[in-house]
Amino acid sequence: MTTTRHDIGRIAPPAPRPAWRVPSSWPQVLIYAGAVAVLLMWWHGTRSVTGLDGWLTEAGRVTGLMAGYGCAVLVALMARIPALERGVGTDRLARWHAMGGRYTVCLACAHALLIIWGYAVTSRTDVVHQTVTIVFDYPEMIKGTLGFLLLVGVGVTSARAARRRLRYETWYYLHFATYLAIYLAFWHALADGAQFAGTTWAKAAWYALYGGVAVVLVFFRFVMPVVRGLRHDLRVAAVHAEAPGVVSIYMTGRHLDEFGARPGQFFRWRFLASGLWWAANPYSLSEPVRGGRMRITVKAAGDHSAALFRLRPGTRVWAEGPYGGFTGTRPHHDRALLLAGGVGITPLRALFETLPGDVVLLYKARRPEDLALRDELDAIAAARGARVHYFVSEPAGYSLPLTGGALHGLVPDIRHRDVYLCGPSGMTDAALAALKQAGVRRRHIRHESFEF
């Protein structure tokens, strides 16, 4: 592997120009407003509801409309809109997407069951016979059924228990079936939905909703990466071993300041090399962008990340981003505590160098040799007069119990600091509980999750 030297100055690089960001409450208000609009569309197209069959059928229509609306929202949340990613934060958007996915799959299941049951009561037949009739005799229903089955399948594979058993790359590609499911369900809704029959404005609204989401998705996820890739000509410059199973990848290119990347943010990186070009995986910047250089630090945690260790200088790279709200903007205090676990040090290393005021870094790893970037952290601490504490699980005498008392003992003024937390899920869960015990307010904690 190629190695390179690390140069750390005493003066942090200039902050990028401010970028417009969506306030985190706006998307929620917009989502709820859209849901109300969909309910009003159903109300406008429904004359009356009488009898068991009527209540079942209309409940099925409502849940179907809401499931269709939910599909559009799910895609929009993951369209990688920069202003939304900065204002809300990518990890929060991912949580909204996961929660919305569960609701949408449940609504789709309720829609199918209620419609079949309601039609069976109306025609006075059993649900099996009615299911066959609906699937094979109604227009676009074979498409709708395939879309429904695909959506449920994606929902099952996205459940936490299933995700643990799947490689990230496998899950990533299975997730693409969502687009096909939504496409098939879209035509079924227009062909069979009572609210769209003979109602031009309702069809126009549905076309506008799905068309707008499709344009945004294609632009930000496909067009922009290609345009930026050609403009910035980003290429691998060097690969440097940092710790067992951890490497830093240095990249150089043109006009990198135009990205407007802030310390703590991440990009989705697509390396145009054999076996890697098909996936864009998220990795945080492990140092501020300097001139024509960017750097990420990666731990081998799967096939994709392990393959990065074999990258050769000159490999072309496409970068999508920057994403995430894990930055030093809008602080509550003039001092900060950084709490890192394992390779979670990567965004915190960039913040350690650039955050103003008094900064303390606590860094946990399994063994001393797993403390990646330690020389750089020591150099930063010496240059800015900051404190850095290292803790390891082995040997046990150098471990840090994640309790409120232990954190307060190390940082007595912890209640008057902004806390930046990044690490594996088990460690971050324990740290959040310890910070609460130490009296740190939840709104003063910035948390970056590894799980998307």
Side-chain angles (χ1 to χ4, degrees):
M1 290 188 178
T2 307
T3 61
T4 187
R5 293 183 61 83
H6 313 294
D7 300 315
I8 301 172
R10 291 178 176 272
I11 301 176
R17 58 184 180 274
W20 189 76
R21 53 193 293 163
V22 175
S24 59
S25 60
W26 288 12
Q28 290 178 309
V29 172
L30 188 61
I31 290 170
Y32 290 134
V36 171
V38 171
L39 291 174
L40 290 175
M41 184 173 71
W42 167 80
W43 180 269
H44 183 272
T46 304
R47 294 183 178 180
S48 63
V49 183
T50 59
L52 177 61
D53 58 338
W55 283 103
L56 290 171
T57 301
E58 292 305 327
R61 287 169 179 164
V62 170
T63 52
L65 287 170
M66 294 303 294
Y69 172 70
C71 287
V73 170
L74 292 178
V75 174
L77 289 175
M78 292 290 101
R80 300 176 188 170
I81 304 170
L84 195 61
E85 298 270 351
R86 287 190 295 265
V88 178
T90 303
D91 56 343
R92 188 187 296 181
L93 285 175
R95 289 195 296 270
W96 288 2
H97 178 80
M99 180 178 65
R102 290 190 288 270
Y103 284 131
T104 300
V105 170
C106 289
L107 285 167
C109 291
H111 163 67
L113 294 173
L114 289 167
I115 285 291
I116 292 171
W117 189 7
Y119 281 20
V121 172
T122 300
S123 59
R124 298 181 180 179
T125 186
D126 61 88
V127 293
V128 175
H129 182 269
Q130 189 62 54
T131 300
V132 174
T133 300
I134 290 175
V135 171
F136 293 102
D137 293 347
Y138 282 63
E140 302 288 346
M141 268 310 304
I142 292 180
K143 289 183 181 178
T145 302
L146 290 175
F148 169 72
L149 294 175
L150 283 172
L151 187 65
V152 172
V154 171
V156 170
T157 59
S158 297
R160 184 167 297 182
R163 282 286 306 276
R164 293 194 187 102
R165 292 173 172 79
L166 291 174
R167 294 165 49 214
Y168 173 81
E169 292 78 11
T170 302
W171 171 85
Y172 180 83
Y173 276 100
L174 287 175
H175 224 61
F176 274 112
T178 305
Y179 297 131
L180 178 59
I182 293 173
Y183 174 81
L184 295 172
F186 173 79
W187 298 111
H188 149 66
L190 291 180
D192 299 306
Q195 277 64 35
F196 301 111
T199 310
T200 304
W201 68 267
K203 285 185 178 181
W206 216 243
Y207 272 113
L209 173 65
Y210 276 78
V213 169
V215 168
V216 169
L217 177 75
V218 170
F219 181 77
F220 286 113
R221 294 198 63 166
F222 299 98
V223 175
M224 283 304 297
V226 174
V227 171
R228 284 187 163 184
L230 295 175
R231 172 163 177 74
H232 297 295
D233 192 27
L234 195 63
R235 296 176 183 271
V236 173
V239 179
H240 174 71
E242 302 288 0
V246 179
V247 296
S248 285
I249 300 168
Y250 291 81
M251 293 159 282
T252 57
R254 303 190 303 258
H255 316 295
L256 300 188
D257 58 307
E258 293 179 1
F259 279 116
R262 294 181 176 275
Q265 290 187 307
F266 71 93
F267 287 75
R268 286 183 170 89
W269 307 89
R270 189 182 302 274
F271 296 90
L272 304 189
S274 177
L276 293 173
W277 61 267
W278 44 265
N281 284 20
Y283 300 109
S284 297
L285 294 170
S286 59
E287 70 174 8
V289 178
R290 289 188 174 89
R293 187 178 85 176
M294 305 175 81
R295 185 184 76 173
I296 59 174
T297 301
V298 180
K299 179 179 180 179
D303 293 344
H304 185 276
S305 54
L308 300 183
F309 289 42
R310 300 187 294 273
L311 284 172
R312 294 185 177 183
T315 301
R316 185 182 288 275
V317 185
W318 287 358
E320 302 173 36
Y323 298 126
F326 193 63
T327 66
T329 58
R330 298 183 297 173
H332 295 95
H333 302 289
D334 60 355
R335 57 194 113 168
L337 167 64
L338 312 183
L339 187 51
V343 78
I345 191 61
T346 52
L348 293 181
R349 182 262 179 240
L351 288 168
F352 189 45
E353 180 180 349
T354 57
L355 283 176
D358 179 32
V359 181
V360 177
L361 170 63
L362 307 183
Y363 182 11
K364 288 172 56 68
R366 190 165 68 91
R367 303 167 302 174
E369 56 267 33
D370 295 324
L371 293 166
L373 308 174
R374 181 169 182 173
D375 291 343
E376 296 184 28
L377 297 172
D378 289 338
I380 294 171
R384 63 175 299 167
R387 286 184 291 154
V388 56
H389 301 278
Y390 302 102
F391 301 93
V392 293
S393 301
E394 302 171 7
Y398 297 91
S399 63
L400 171 67
L402 283 176
T403 64
L407 293 179
H408 189 271
L410 282 168
V411 189
D413 60 349
I414 189 171
R415 296 181 183 180
H416 305 291
R417 290 179 179 267
D418 291 318
V419 178
Y420 297 80
L421 171 63
C422 187
S425 57
M427 174 264 183
T428 54
D429 290 344
L432 287 171
L435 291 167
K436 182 178 180 180
Q437 292 173 359
V440 179
R441 295 183 180 181
R442 185 63 183 86
R443 64 190 181 94
H444 295 167
I445 303 172
R446 304 194 184 192
H447 171 213
E448 179 96 316
S449 172
F450 283 159
E451 299 178 358
F452 295 100

